[in-house]
Amino acid sequence: MQQFHTQLKENKKKLKNDFFYLNFIQKSILKAVDSGWIDQVDNLQQLKASVGNRQNGQRNAIFEYHKVALDAYEIMIYRIKRNIIRNICQSMMTYDDNGDLVIHFP
């Protein structure tokens, strides 16, 4: 935690003002959520395709789908939280020619 807080303070020093800092935090969170949901949708589509095979195995397909989808959701939440921290700590911040903040995510 101490290393996280140290990196957070260093990132705040690199930014020109509180507006850019808030913008950086918001984009870091949004990037993590967006990536997580994209992966989740892909996983659910693959699961949907495999549900037919599970039904052939004498299992309740709807129950199986909901069970696996809920487990995948919990994993997604964990990964989003991890990626938020990673984005905040490892992103590179620069400014473009107009002075606008540009963030390069890992």
Side-chain angles (χ1 to χ4, degrees):
M1 285 301 293
Q2 183 180 3
Q3 185 178 8
F4 172 75
H5 289 293
T6 302
Q7 186 63 41
L8 200 59
K9 288 177 186 176
E10 287 180 25
N11 286 346
K12 193 169 186 174
K13 288 179 187 177
K14 291 178 187 176
L15 299 170
K16 293 180 181 177
N17 57 39
D18 288 339
F19 173 77
F20 284 126
Y21 178 72
L22 182 61
N23 193 357
F24 165 68
I25 297 295
Q26 289 173 339
K27 286 184 180 182
S28 296
I29 293 169
L30 185 59
K31 175 69 174 175
V33 171
D34 186 48
S35 298
W37 273 110
I38 289 171
D39 292 342
Q40 180 73 356
V41 169
D42 288 343
N43 290 339
L44 290 176
Q45 287 176 346
Q46 292 173 6
L47 177 62
K48 182 180 173 184
S50 71
V51 164
N53 295 337
R54 292 172 187 227
Q55 193 168 11
N56 293 338
Q58 303 299 325
R59 294 182 179 175
N60 183 344
I62 294 173
F63 174 77
E64 287 291 320
Y65 179 84
H66 285 289
K67 181 179 177 272
V68 174
L70 183 59
D71 291 341
Y73 179 79
E74 295 296 329
I75 291 168
M76 179 197 66
I77 295 297
Y78 173 79
R79 287 181 180 162
I80 286 174
K81 290 175 183 177
R82 184 190 67 202
N83 288 339
I84 289 171
I85 294 169
R86 190 183 79 187
N87 288 347
I88 290 173
C89 291
Q90 294 181 349
S91 296
M92 294 174 39
M93 297 163 287
T94 59
Y95 295 95
D96 63 8
D97 294 337
N98 297 328
D100 294 326
L101 179 65
V102 178
I103 303 169
H104 305 278
F105 293 104

